[in-house]
Amino acid sequence: MIRFSEVYKRYPGGGEALKNVGFRLAPGEMSFLTGHSGAGKSTLLKLITAIERPTRGQVWIGGENISKIKSRKVPFLRRRIGVIFQDHKLLYDRTVFDNVALPLVVAGLNHGEVRRRVRAALDKVGLLKKERVYPVALSGGEQQRVGIARAVAGKPPLLLADEPTGNLDPALSLEIMNLFAEFNRVGVAVLIASHDLELIQRLGYRQMVLDHGELVAGGEPL
Amino acid sequence: MRALLIRHVQVFFYSLGQLWRTPWGSLMSVAVIAVSLTLPTALYLVLELTDEISGNWQTGAEITLFLTDEVDDKAAVQLADRLRQQPGIRSVSYVSAAAALEEFRQKSGFGVALDLLDQNPLPSLLRLQPDPDQAAPTQINQLIEQFQALAEVDTAEFDHAWVQRLHAMVAIGQRLALIASLLLGVGVVLIIGNTIRLAIFNRRDEIEISKLIGATDAFIRRPFLYSGLQQGALGGLLALVLVYASLGLLAPVADRLAGFYQSGFTLQIMGWVELLLLPIIGGALGLFGAWLAVGRHLRDIEPG
Protein backbone atom coordinates (compact mmCIF):
# COMPACT_ATOMS: atom_id res chain seq x y z
CA MET A 1 0.00 0.00 0.00
CA ILE A 2 2.78 2.38 1.01
CA ARG A 3 6.41 1.97 0.03
CA PHE A 4 9.23 4.33 0.90
CA SER A 5 12.63 3.76 -0.63
CA GLU A 6 15.68 5.75 0.52
CA VAL A 7 13.57 8.79 1.17
CA TYR A 8 15.22 12.03 2.24
CA LYS A 9 13.41 15.22 3.03
CA ARG A 10 15.18 18.49 3.65
CA TYR A 11 13.21 21.67 4.25
CA PRO A 12 14.68 24.82 2.78
CA GLY A 13 16.76 26.51 5.45
CA GLY A 14 16.16 23.67 7.87
CA GLY A 15 17.81 20.45 8.78
CA GLU A 16 17.09 17.06 7.36
CA ALA A 17 13.61 16.01 8.43
CA LEU A 18 13.90 12.50 7.05
CA LYS A 19 17.07 10.54 6.34
CA ASN A 20 17.17 7.40 4.28
CA VAL A 21 13.71 6.21 5.28
CA GLY A 22 12.60 2.90 3.77
CA PHE A 23 9.56 0.81 4.72
CA ARG A 24 6.51 -0.96 3.39
CA LEU A 25 2.95 -1.03 4.61
CA ALA A 26 1.04 -3.93 3.08
CA PRO A 27 -2.56 -3.51 1.94
CA GLY A 28 -4.84 -4.09 4.92
CA GLU A 29 -2.00 -3.72 7.42
CA MET A 30 -2.18 -1.54 10.51
CA SER A 31 0.92 0.06 11.95
CA PHE A 32 2.00 2.79 14.35
CA LEU A 33 4.57 5.43 13.71
CA THR A 34 6.22 6.72 16.86
CA GLY A 35 9.09 8.94 17.85
CA HIS A 36 9.82 12.10 19.79
CA SER A 37 8.42 15.46 18.73
CA GLY A 38 10.19 16.64 15.60
CA ALA A 39 11.41 13.17 14.74
CA GLY A 40 9.75 13.48 11.33
CA LYS A 41 6.39 11.75 11.82
CA SER A 42 4.36 14.58 10.37
CA THR A 43 6.77 15.02 7.50
CA LEU A 44 6.44 11.35 6.63
CA LEU A 45 2.64 11.66 6.57
CA LYS A 46 2.88 14.79 4.42
CA LEU A 47 4.93 12.88 1.88
CA ILE A 48 2.21 10.25 1.65
CA THR A 49 -0.49 12.83 0.93
CA ALA A 50 1.79 14.79 -1.41
CA ILE A 51 1.64 17.90 0.74
CA GLU A 52 5.41 17.68 0.50
CA ARG A 53 7.62 16.01 -2.08
CA PRO A 54 10.72 14.00 -1.11
CA THR A 55 14.07 15.68 -1.69
CA ARG A 56 15.46 12.32 -2.71
CA GLY A 57 14.17 8.77 -2.94
CA GLN A 58 10.86 7.27 -4.04
CA VAL A 59 7.41 7.09 -2.51
CA TRP A 60 4.82 4.64 -3.85
CA ILE A 61 1.16 4.72 -2.89
CA GLY A 62 -0.96 1.83 -4.12
CA GLY A 63 1.62 1.05 -6.78
CA GLU A 64 1.86 4.64 -8.05
CA ASN A 65 5.14 6.50 -7.70
CA ILE A 66 4.20 9.88 -6.25
CA SER A 67 7.70 11.28 -5.72
CA LYS A 68 7.22 13.72 -8.56
CA ILE A 69 3.43 13.66 -8.86
CA LYS A 70 1.90 16.47 -10.91
CA SER A 71 -0.20 18.98 -8.99
CA ARG A 72 -3.33 18.26 -10.96
CA LYS A 73 -3.11 14.57 -10.05
CA VAL A 74 -2.76 15.23 -6.33
CA PRO A 75 -6.53 15.55 -5.64
CA PHE A 76 -7.12 12.07 -7.05
CA LEU A 77 -4.34 10.63 -4.88
CA ARG A 78 -5.88 12.26 -1.81
CA ARG A 79 -9.30 10.78 -2.55
CA ARG A 80 -7.79 7.34 -2.06
CA ILE A 81 -6.44 8.26 1.39
CA GLY A 82 -8.51 9.09 4.44
CA VAL A 83 -6.69 11.50 6.74
CA ILE A 84 -7.44 12.21 10.40
CA PHE A 85 -5.88 15.19 12.13
CA GLN A 86 -5.08 15.93 15.73
CA ASP A 87 -7.05 19.18 15.54
CA HIS A 88 -9.86 17.48 13.58
CA LYS A 89 -9.90 20.19 10.91
CA LEU A 90 -13.68 20.28 10.82
CA LEU A 91 -15.70 23.11 9.31
CA TYR A 92 -17.46 24.76 12.21
CA ASP A 93 -20.08 26.53 10.15
CA ARG A 94 -21.44 23.27 8.79
CA THR A 95 -23.35 20.43 10.36
CA VAL A 96 -21.81 17.08 11.16
CA PHE A 97 -23.57 15.67 8.10
CA ASP A 98 -22.13 18.31 5.79
CA ASN A 99 -18.64 17.83 7.22
CA VAL A 100 -18.71 14.12 6.58
CA ALA A 101 -20.25 14.67 3.14
CA LEU A 102 -17.49 17.04 2.02
CA PRO A 103 -15.08 14.45 0.51
CA LEU A 104 -18.00 12.77 -1.27
CA VAL A 105 -19.27 16.05 -2.72
CA VAL A 106 -15.73 16.88 -3.75
CA ALA A 107 -15.50 13.53 -5.52
CA GLY A 108 -18.71 14.33 -7.40
CA LEU A 109 -21.01 11.65 -6.00
CA ASN A 110 -24.73 12.10 -6.51
CA HIS A 111 -26.98 13.24 -3.75
CA GLY A 112 -28.50 9.88 -2.84
CA GLU A 113 -25.14 8.15 -2.71
CA VAL A 114 -23.71 10.93 -0.54
CA ARG A 115 -26.58 10.61 1.91
CA ARG A 116 -26.26 6.85 2.08
CA ARG A 117 -22.51 6.86 2.66
CA VAL A 118 -22.54 9.69 5.20
CA ARG A 119 -25.17 7.80 7.21
CA ALA A 120 -23.12 4.61 7.02
CA ALA A 121 -19.94 6.39 8.14
CA LEU A 122 -21.68 8.20 10.99
CA ASP A 123 -23.29 4.96 12.06
CA LYS A 124 -19.88 3.29 12.26
CA VAL A 125 -18.50 5.97 14.57
CA GLY A 126 -21.73 6.01 16.60
CA LEU A 127 -22.83 9.56 15.75
CA LEU A 128 -25.79 8.94 13.50
CA LYS A 129 -28.08 10.79 15.90
CA LYS A 130 -25.90 13.91 15.74
CA GLU A 131 -25.89 14.45 11.98
CA ARG A 132 -27.73 17.77 12.25
CA VAL A 133 -25.59 19.10 15.08
CA TYR A 134 -22.78 21.63 14.56
CA PRO A 135 -19.32 20.45 15.62
CA VAL A 136 -18.98 23.07 18.39
CA ALA A 137 -21.74 21.31 20.27
CA LEU A 138 -19.72 18.10 20.36
CA SER A 139 -17.06 16.94 22.81
CA GLY A 140 -13.44 16.51 21.73
CA GLY A 141 -13.84 12.76 21.36
CA GLU A 142 -17.00 13.18 19.32
CA GLN A 143 -15.36 15.76 17.06
CA GLN A 144 -12.54 13.34 16.45
CA ARG A 145 -15.07 10.68 15.53
CA VAL A 146 -16.65 13.08 13.04
CA GLY A 147 -13.14 13.50 11.59
CA ILE A 148 -12.84 9.73 11.32
CA ALA A 149 -16.26 9.40 9.71
CA ARG A 150 -15.21 12.01 7.14
CA ALA A 151 -11.99 10.09 6.46
CA VAL A 152 -13.74 6.76 5.92
CA ALA A 153 -16.85 8.03 4.10
CA GLY A 154 -15.16 7.72 0.72
CA LYS A 155 -14.14 4.13 1.53
CA PRO A 156 -10.43 4.72 0.97
CA PRO A 157 -8.06 1.71 1.09
CA LEU A 158 -5.68 3.68 3.32
CA LEU A 159 -6.23 5.69 6.50
CA LEU A 160 -3.63 8.06 7.91
CA ALA A 161 -3.93 9.55 11.36
CA ASP A 162 -1.68 12.25 12.79
CA GLU A 163 -1.81 12.15 16.59
CA PRO A 164 -5.51 11.30 16.59
CA THR A 165 -5.64 10.96 20.39
CA GLY A 166 -3.39 13.91 21.18
CA ASN A 167 -6.04 15.83 23.11
CA LEU A 168 -8.06 12.95 24.53
CA ASP A 169 -8.05 11.21 27.87
CA PRO A 170 -6.90 7.53 28.01
CA ALA A 171 -10.39 6.03 27.90
CA LEU A 172 -11.41 8.08 24.85
CA SER A 173 -8.05 7.39 23.24
CA LEU A 174 -8.58 3.68 23.52
CA GLU A 175 -12.04 4.07 22.04
CA ILE A 176 -10.65 5.92 19.05
CA MET A 177 -7.86 3.39 18.54
CA ASN A 178 -10.37 0.54 18.68
CA LEU A 179 -12.32 2.33 15.98
CA PHE A 180 -9.23 2.26 13.75
CA ALA A 181 -8.72 -1.41 14.53
CA GLU A 182 -12.29 -2.05 13.43
CA PHE A 183 -11.73 -0.42 10.08
CA ASN A 184 -8.51 -2.38 9.77
CA ARG A 185 -10.41 -5.63 10.31
CA VAL A 186 -12.48 -4.94 7.19
CA GLY A 187 -9.35 -4.55 5.10
CA VAL A 188 -8.36 -0.90 5.36
CA ALA A 189 -4.63 -0.23 5.73
CA VAL A 190 -4.01 2.12 8.67
CA LEU A 191 -0.96 4.18 9.60
CA ILE A 192 -1.17 6.11 12.85
CA ALA A 193 1.41 8.61 14.02
CA SER A 194 1.31 8.80 17.80
CA HIS A 195 3.54 9.17 20.81
CA ASP A 196 1.09 7.56 23.20
CA LEU A 197 3.50 4.68 23.75
CA GLU A 198 1.61 3.03 26.59
CA LEU A 199 -1.53 2.71 24.50
CA ILE A 200 0.41 1.50 21.46
CA GLN A 201 2.09 -1.25 23.49
CA ARG A 202 -1.28 -2.45 24.72
CA LEU A 203 -2.74 -2.68 21.22
CA GLY A 204 0.18 -4.71 19.93
CA TYR A 205 0.42 -3.66 16.29
CA ARG A 206 3.67 -3.17 14.43
CA GLN A 207 5.61 -0.08 15.46
CA MET A 208 7.91 2.02 13.35
CA VAL A 209 10.15 4.33 15.33
CA LEU A 210 11.59 7.52 13.94
CA ASP A 211 14.56 9.15 15.64
CA HIS A 212 15.88 12.45 14.28
CA GLY A 213 14.56 11.61 10.84
CA GLU A 214 15.86 8.09 10.71
CA LEU A 215 13.73 4.99 10.90
CA VAL A 216 15.41 3.07 13.71
CA ALA A 217 12.92 0.25 14.26
CA GLY A 218 10.00 -1.48 12.57
CA GLY A 219 10.92 -0.59 9.01
CA GLU A 220 11.69 -3.10 6.35
CA PRO A 221 14.81 -1.87 4.64
CA LEU A 222 14.50 -2.28 0.91
CA MET B 1 -21.62 15.40 -18.14
CA ARG B 2 -25.00 15.53 -16.46
CA ALA B 3 -23.33 15.26 -13.06
CA LEU B 4 -21.15 18.25 -13.91
CA LEU B 5 -24.20 20.23 -14.98
CA ILE B 6 -25.91 19.39 -11.70
CA ARG B 7 -22.81 20.49 -9.82
CA HIS B 8 -22.81 23.79 -11.67
CA VAL B 9 -26.45 24.38 -10.83
CA GLN B 10 -25.75 23.49 -7.18
CA VAL B 11 -22.78 25.82 -6.99
CA PHE B 12 -24.79 28.56 -8.69
CA PHE B 13 -27.43 28.46 -5.98
CA TYR B 14 -24.88 27.89 -3.26
CA SER B 15 -22.95 31.06 -4.10
CA LEU B 16 -26.20 32.97 -4.54
CA GLY B 17 -27.03 31.76 -1.05
CA GLN B 18 -23.65 33.01 0.19
CA LEU B 19 -24.49 36.46 -1.18
CA TRP B 20 -27.81 36.31 0.61
CA ARG B 21 -26.18 35.24 3.88
CA THR B 22 -23.93 38.31 3.86
CA PRO B 23 -26.50 40.85 2.66
CA TRP B 24 -24.67 44.06 3.61
CA GLY B 25 -21.34 43.23 2.12
CA SER B 26 -22.99 41.91 -1.03
CA LEU B 27 -25.30 44.91 -1.31
CA MET B 28 -22.37 47.29 -0.98
CA SER B 29 -20.32 45.72 -3.72
CA VAL B 30 -23.36 45.29 -5.98
CA ALA B 31 -24.24 48.96 -5.44
CA VAL B 32 -20.73 50.14 -6.23
CA ILE B 33 -20.75 48.07 -9.38
CA ALA B 34 -24.15 49.45 -10.32
CA VAL B 35 -22.97 53.04 -9.95
CA SER B 36 -19.83 52.27 -11.93
CA LEU B 37 -21.93 50.89 -14.77
CA THR B 38 -24.63 53.57 -14.57
CA LEU B 39 -22.30 56.52 -15.11
CA PRO B 40 -20.90 55.53 -18.51
CA THR B 41 -24.26 54.18 -19.64
CA ALA B 42 -26.07 57.40 -18.85
CA LEU B 43 -23.30 59.42 -20.48
CA TYR B 44 -23.49 57.23 -23.53
CA LEU B 45 -27.27 57.59 -23.78
CA VAL B 46 -27.11 61.38 -23.48
CA LEU B 47 -24.49 61.47 -26.23
CA GLU B 48 -26.59 59.20 -28.42
CA LEU B 49 -29.37 61.68 -27.94
CA THR B 50 -27.22 64.71 -28.73
CA ASP B 51 -25.94 63.01 -31.80
CA GLU B 52 -29.47 62.26 -32.89
CA ILE B 53 -30.59 65.85 -32.37
CA SER B 54 -27.62 67.25 -34.25
CA GLY B 55 -28.32 64.68 -36.94
CA ASN B 56 -31.85 66.03 -37.22
CA TRP B 57 -30.59 69.55 -37.61
CA GLN B 58 -28.07 68.51 -40.11
CA THR B 59 -30.60 66.79 -42.35
CA GLY B 60 -32.84 69.83 -42.06
CA ALA B 61 -29.97 72.05 -43.10
CA GLU B 62 -29.81 73.67 -46.49
CA ILE B 63 -27.10 74.85 -48.76
CA THR B 64 -27.91 78.17 -50.34
CA LEU B 65 -26.39 79.12 -53.66
CA PHE B 66 -26.58 82.86 -54.37
CA LEU B 67 -26.48 83.26 -58.13
CA THR B 68 -24.73 86.04 -59.96
CA ASP B 69 -26.79 88.81 -61.59
CA GLU B 70 -26.05 87.50 -65.08
CA VAL B 71 -28.02 84.33 -64.49
CA ASP B 72 -31.57 84.69 -65.72
CA ASP B 73 -34.57 82.55 -64.80
CA LYS B 74 -34.04 80.08 -67.59
CA ALA B 75 -30.38 79.47 -66.85
CA ALA B 76 -31.14 79.14 -63.16
CA VAL B 77 -33.78 76.47 -63.79
CA GLN B 78 -31.34 74.64 -66.03
CA LEU B 79 -28.70 74.77 -63.32
CA ALA B 80 -31.23 73.48 -60.81
CA ASP B 81 -32.04 70.56 -63.11
CA ARG B 82 -28.36 69.79 -63.50
CA LEU B 83 -27.73 69.82 -59.77
CA ARG B 84 -30.72 67.62 -59.14
CA GLN B 85 -28.99 64.85 -61.10
CA GLN B 86 -25.97 65.02 -58.90
CA PRO B 87 -25.53 62.37 -56.21
CA GLY B 88 -25.78 63.58 -52.61
CA ILE B 89 -28.51 66.13 -53.42
CA ARG B 90 -32.01 65.33 -52.40
CA SER B 91 -33.87 68.35 -53.70
CA VAL B 92 -33.22 71.67 -55.35
CA SER B 93 -35.62 74.58 -55.46
CA TYR B 94 -35.24 77.82 -57.32
CA VAL B 95 -36.16 81.11 -55.77
CA SER B 96 -36.10 83.99 -58.23
CA ALA B 97 -34.98 87.42 -57.12
CA ALA B 98 -38.59 88.61 -57.21
CA ALA B 99 -39.79 85.68 -55.14
CA ALA B 100 -36.96 86.25 -52.68
CA LEU B 101 -37.97 89.86 -52.32
CA GLU B 102 -41.57 88.85 -51.73
CA GLU B 103 -40.52 86.34 -49.11
CA PHE B 104 -38.32 88.89 -47.40
CA ARG B 105 -41.08 91.43 -47.47
CA GLN B 106 -43.43 89.05 -45.69
CA LYS B 107 -41.03 87.72 -43.12
CA SER B 108 -39.00 90.78 -42.24
CA GLY B 109 -41.65 93.41 -41.83
CA PHE B 110 -39.49 95.84 -43.85
CA GLY B 111 -42.12 95.96 -46.58
CA VAL B 112 -42.48 99.75 -46.59
CA ALA B 113 -38.74 100.27 -46.66
CA LEU B 114 -38.41 97.89 -49.58
CA ASP B 115 -40.99 99.81 -51.55
CA LEU B 116 -38.66 102.78 -51.45
CA LEU B 117 -36.02 100.88 -53.39
CA ASP B 118 -36.30 101.24 -57.11
CA GLN B 119 -34.35 98.07 -57.72
CA ASN B 120 -34.50 94.61 -56.22
CA PRO B 121 -31.29 94.27 -54.19
CA LEU B 122 -31.69 90.54 -53.70
CA PRO B 123 -30.05 87.95 -55.87
CA SER B 124 -31.88 84.92 -57.13
CA LEU B 125 -30.91 81.74 -55.38
CA LEU B 126 -31.06 77.97 -55.34
CA ARG B 127 -31.90 76.07 -52.17
CA LEU B 128 -30.35 72.60 -51.99
CA GLN B 129 -31.09 69.90 -49.55
CA PRO B 130 -28.24 67.42 -49.17
CA ASP B 131 -29.05 63.76 -48.96
CA PRO B 132 -29.22 62.91 -45.22
CA ASP B 133 -27.00 59.87 -45.76
CA GLN B 134 -24.28 62.04 -47.17
CA ALA B 135 -24.51 64.99 -44.86
CA ALA B 136 -21.36 64.42 -42.84
CA PRO B 137 -19.42 67.66 -42.33
CA THR B 138 -16.64 66.69 -44.73
CA GLN B 139 -19.09 65.77 -47.46
CA ILE B 140 -20.96 69.03 -47.03
CA ASN B 141 -17.66 70.88 -47.26
CA GLN B 142 -16.85 69.13 -50.51
CA LEU B 143 -20.21 70.09 -51.98
CA ILE B 144 -19.72 73.71 -50.95
CA GLU B 145 -16.32 73.88 -52.62
CA GLN B 146 -17.72 72.32 -55.72
CA PHE B 147 -20.60 74.79 -55.93
CA GLN B 148 -18.36 77.73 -55.24
CA ALA B 149 -16.42 76.82 -58.34
CA LEU B 150 -19.50 77.08 -60.59
CA ALA B 151 -19.60 80.16 -62.84
CA GLU B 152 -23.25 80.88 -62.10
CA VAL B 153 -22.72 80.89 -58.35
CA ASP B 154 -21.69 84.03 -56.55
CA THR B 155 -21.44 82.45 -53.10
CA ALA B 156 -22.38 79.11 -51.69
CA GLU B 157 -23.34 79.18 -48.04
CA PHE B 158 -24.04 76.64 -45.43
CA ASP B 159 -24.58 77.62 -41.87
CA HIS B 160 -22.63 74.70 -40.72
CA ALA B 161 -19.99 75.94 -38.34
CA TRP B 162 -22.06 75.36 -35.26
CA VAL B 163 -23.20 71.96 -36.44
CA GLN B 164 -19.59 71.03 -36.90
CA ARG B 165 -18.73 72.36 -33.48
CA LEU B 166 -21.50 70.28 -31.98
CA HIS B 167 -20.28 67.27 -33.88
CA ALA B 168 -16.79 67.80 -32.56
CA MET B 169 -18.11 68.17 -29.03
CA VAL B 170 -20.15 65.02 -29.31
CA ALA B 171 -17.07 63.23 -30.62
CA ILE B 172 -15.06 64.42 -27.62
CA GLY B 173 -17.89 63.38 -25.36
CA GLN B 174 -17.97 59.96 -26.92
CA ARG B 175 -14.26 59.60 -26.45
CA LEU B 176 -14.66 60.66 -22.82
CA ALA B 177 -17.48 58.20 -22.36
CA LEU B 178 -15.27 55.49 -23.76
CA ILE B 179 -12.41 56.38 -21.43
CA ALA B 180 -14.80 56.60 -18.47
CA SER B 181 -16.28 53.23 -19.41
CA LEU B 182 -12.86 51.65 -19.58
CA LEU B 183 -11.74 53.13 -16.27
CA LEU B 184 -14.96 52.24 -14.50
CA GLY B 185 -14.83 48.78 -16.06
CA VAL B 186 -11.38 48.33 -14.57
CA GLY B 187 -12.90 49.62 -11.33
CA VAL B 188 -15.60 46.96 -11.40
CA VAL B 189 -13.00 44.26 -12.02
CA LEU B 190 -10.92 45.51 -9.08
CA ILE B 191 -13.91 45.82 -6.75
CA ILE B 192 -15.03 42.29 -7.45
CA GLY B 193 -11.47 41.04 -7.35
CA ASN B 194 -11.12 42.51 -3.90
CA THR B 195 -14.45 41.18 -2.66
CA ILE B 196 -13.54 37.72 -3.88
CA ARG B 197 -10.09 38.03 -2.34
CA LEU B 198 -11.69 38.71 1.04
CA ALA B 199 -14.09 35.83 0.54
CA ILE B 200 -11.15 33.55 -0.21
CA PHE B 201 -9.35 34.60 2.96
CA ASN B 202 -12.52 34.23 5.01
CA ARG B 203 -12.86 30.68 3.81
CA ARG B 204 -9.21 29.79 4.09
CA ASP B 205 -9.84 26.81 6.37
CA GLU B 206 -12.50 25.44 4.12
CA ILE B 207 -10.25 25.73 1.08
CA GLU B 208 -7.36 24.09 2.88
CA ILE B 209 -9.49 21.22 4.14
CA SER B 210 -11.10 20.76 0.73
CA LYS B 211 -7.66 20.51 -0.83
CA LEU B 212 -6.63 17.98 1.82
CA ILE B 213 -9.51 15.70 1.04
CA GLY B 214 -9.01 15.74 -2.68
CA ALA B 215 -10.83 18.74 -4.11
CA THR B 216 -9.56 19.78 -7.52
CA ASP B 217 -8.66 23.40 -8.17
CA ALA B 218 -11.66 23.67 -10.48
CA PHE B 219 -13.94 22.54 -7.67
CA ILE B 220 -12.56 25.13 -5.27
CA ARG B 221 -12.52 27.88 -7.85
CA ARG B 222 -16.10 27.38 -9.02
CA PRO B 223 -18.09 28.99 -6.17
CA PHE B 224 -15.86 32.07 -6.24
CA LEU B 225 -16.21 32.47 -9.99
CA TYR B 226 -19.97 32.15 -9.71
CA SER B 227 -19.97 34.66 -6.90
CA GLY B 228 -18.11 37.19 -9.06
CA LEU B 229 -20.40 36.53 -11.99
CA GLN B 230 -23.50 36.98 -9.85
CA GLN B 231 -22.33 40.15 -8.15
CA GLY B 232 -21.43 41.65 -11.51
CA ALA B 233 -24.72 40.66 -13.11
CA LEU B 234 -26.74 41.93 -10.15
CA GLY B 235 -24.78 45.17 -10.31
CA GLY B 236 -25.68 45.37 -13.99
CA LEU B 237 -29.36 44.85 -13.21
CA LEU B 238 -29.29 47.54 -10.54
CA ALA B 239 -27.49 49.83 -12.99
CA LEU B 240 -30.37 49.26 -15.39
CA VAL B 241 -32.82 50.48 -12.76
CA LEU B 242 -30.62 53.50 -12.03
CA VAL B 243 -30.31 54.35 -15.73
CA TYR B 244 -34.07 54.19 -16.10
CA ALA B 245 -34.54 56.39 -13.06
CA SER B 246 -32.03 58.95 -14.38
CA LEU B 247 -33.67 58.98 -17.78
CA GLY B 248 -37.02 59.46 -16.07
CA LEU B 249 -35.64 62.57 -14.37
CA LEU B 250 -34.10 63.78 -17.60
CA ALA B 251 -37.05 63.17 -19.91
CA PRO B 252 -39.20 66.26 -19.11
CA VAL B 253 -36.20 68.57 -19.54
CA ALA B 254 -35.19 66.90 -22.75
CA ASP B 255 -38.71 67.16 -24.10
CA ARG B 256 -38.67 70.90 -23.46
CA LEU B 257 -35.37 71.14 -25.29
CA ALA B 258 -36.88 69.22 -28.15
CA GLY B 259 -39.80 71.63 -28.15
CA PHE B 260 -37.46 74.58 -28.72
CA TYR B 261 -36.03 73.03 -31.82
CA GLN B 262 -39.24 71.58 -33.21
CA SER B 263 -37.35 68.34 -33.18
CA GLY B 264 -39.29 65.11 -33.21
CA PHE B 265 -37.02 63.21 -30.88
CA THR B 266 -37.97 61.73 -27.55
CA LEU B 267 -35.57 60.24 -25.05
CA GLN B 268 -34.89 56.83 -26.42
CA ILE B 269 -35.09 54.18 -23.74
CA MET B 270 -32.86 51.29 -24.62
CA GLY B 271 -34.16 48.29 -26.52
CA TRP B 272 -34.20 44.72 -25.31
CA VAL B 273 -30.74 43.87 -26.51
CA GLU B 274 -29.25 46.84 -24.73
CA LEU B 275 -31.26 45.94 -21.65
CA LEU B 276 -29.56 42.59 -21.50
CA LEU B 277 -26.22 44.13 -22.29
CA LEU B 278 -25.75 45.76 -18.88
CA PRO B 279 -26.11 42.59 -16.78
CA ILE B 280 -24.07 40.69 -19.33
CA ILE B 281 -21.25 43.22 -19.25
CA GLY B 282 -21.48 43.35 -15.45
CA GLY B 283 -21.39 39.59 -15.22
CA ALA B 284 -18.44 39.33 -17.58
CA LEU B 285 -16.47 41.94 -15.64
CA GLY B 286 -17.35 40.20 -12.39
CA LEU B 287 -16.27 36.86 -13.69
CA PHE B 288 -13.02 38.35 -14.89
CA GLY B 289 -12.35 40.02 -11.53
CA ALA B 290 -13.10 36.82 -9.67
CA TRP B 291 -10.90 34.87 -12.04
CA LEU B 292 -7.99 37.24 -11.38
CA ALA B 293 -8.43 37.04 -7.61
CA VAL B 294 -8.83 33.28 -7.61
CA GLY B 295 -5.79 32.76 -9.82
CA ARG B 296 -3.76 35.02 -7.60
CA HIS B 297 -4.81 33.81 -4.15
CA LEU B 298 -5.95 30.20 -4.31
CA ARG B 299 -2.45 29.10 -5.07
CA ASP B 300 -1.25 30.64 -1.81
CA ILE B 301 -3.54 28.46 0.25
CA GLU B 302 -1.95 25.06 0.43
CA PRO B 303 -2.23 22.63 3.29
CA GLY B 304 1.06 22.39 5.11
Side-chain angles (χ1 to χ4, degrees), chain A residues 26-88:
Chain A
E29 190 187 350
M30 176 154 159
S31 175
F32 284 99
L33 181 65
T34 66
H36 59 92
S37 294
K41 300 191 295 288
S42 294
T43 300
L44 194 148
L45 294 184
K46 283 178 185 171
L47 289 176
I48 295 171
T49 49
I51 293 171
E52 299 288 349
R53 311 286 156 91
T55 313
R56 263 167 66 193
Q58 313 292 323
V59 178
W60 281 271
I61 303 297
E64 184 190 353
N65 187 339
I66 62 155
S67 318
K68 293 192 170 64
I69 189 169
K70 293 210 172 66
S71 300
R72 68 186 158 79
K73 285 189 168 176
V74 168
F76 303 98
L77 168 73
R78 289 182 184 159
R79 287 178 199 177
R80 291 187 279 135
I81 305 171
V83 188
I84 293 111
F85 307 91
Q86 179 175 4
D87 58 354
H88 325 311

Side-chain angles (χ1 to χ4, degrees), chain A residues 46 51 75-76 78-79 85 89-91 94 102-103 105-106 150, chain B residues 7 14 205-206 208-216 219 303-304:
Chain A
K46 283 178 185 171
I51 293 171
F76 303 98
R78 289 182 184 159
R79 287 178 199 177
F85 307 91
K89 288 205 191 299
L90 300 178
L91 294 173
R94 306 223 189 156
L102 193 60
V105 172
V106 157
R150 185 181 65 190
Chain B
R7 278 240 33 93
Y14 169 76
D205 291 344
E206 188 180 340
E208 195 183 313
I209 291 169
S210 300
K211 282 192 174 181
L212 272 175
I213 59 177
T216 57
F219 179 91

Side-chain angles (χ1 to χ4, degrees), chain A residues 51 100 115 121 163:
Chain A
I51 293 171
V100 177
R115 182 173 292 274
E163 303 283 359

Side-chain angles (χ1 to χ4, degrees), chain B residues 107-225:
Chain B
K107 283 193 179 169
S108 67
F110 284 115
V112 186
L114 286 174
D115 286 339
L116 295 175
L117 296 170
D118 48 336
Q119 209 188 344
N120 182 357
L122 296 177
S124 56
L125 52 92
L126 290 180
R127 283 196 183 126
L128 282 79
Q129 258 156 1
D131 214 316
D133 304 341
Q134 302 184 30
T138 50
Q139 284 165 319
I140 296 283
N141 277 341
Q142 268 173 18
L143 284 177
I144 298 277
E145 273 174 39
Q146 196 187 322
F147 296 144
Q148 195 71 66
L150 293 172
E152 297 95 328
V153 175
D154 184 40
T155 37
E157 249 179 32
F158 177 63
D159 191 9
H160 62 297
W162 67 272
V163 174
Q164 281 183 329
R165 265 201 298 276
L166 186 65
H167 257 280
M169 267 152 60
V170 169
I172 289 172
Q174 276 168 339
R175 196 58 60 84
L176 276 176
L178 186 70
I179 293 169
S181 308
L182 287 176
L183 285 177
L184 290 166
V186 170
V188 169
V189 168
L190 292 179
I191 290 159
I192 293 191
N194 197 44
T195 312
I196 299 296
R197 187 179 68 86
L198 290 175
I200 289 171
F201 282 116
N202 278 337
R203 292 169 63 194
R204 216 191 161 89
D205 291 344
E206 188 180 340
I207 292 167
E208 195 183 313
I209 291 169
S210 300
K211 282 192 174 181
L212 272 175
I213 59 177
T216 57
D217 286 351
F219 179 91
I220 294 168
R221 214 179 289 140
R222 221 171 276 147
F224 295 110
L225 294 183

Side-chain angles (χ1 to χ4, degrees), chain B residues 232-298:
Chain B
L234 286 175
L237 276 178
L238 187 56
L240 206 59
V241 175
L242 292 178
V243 167
Y244 261 87
S246 329
L247 288 187
L249 287 175
L250 214 57
V253 190
D255 283 347
R256 242 177 66 209
L257 184 71
F260 285 138
Y261 290 94
Q262 290 113 37
S263 170
F265 74 84
T266 45
L267 257 178
Q268 287 289 316
I269 301 276
M270 295 177 287
W272 277 107
V273 182
E274 283 103 329
L275 282 185
L276 287 175
L277 215 54
L278 266 179
I280 288 173
I281 290 173
L285 290 174
L287 186 61
F288 182 59
W291 181 77
L292 284 180
V294 162
R296 174 82 187 74
H297 298 291
L298 274 193

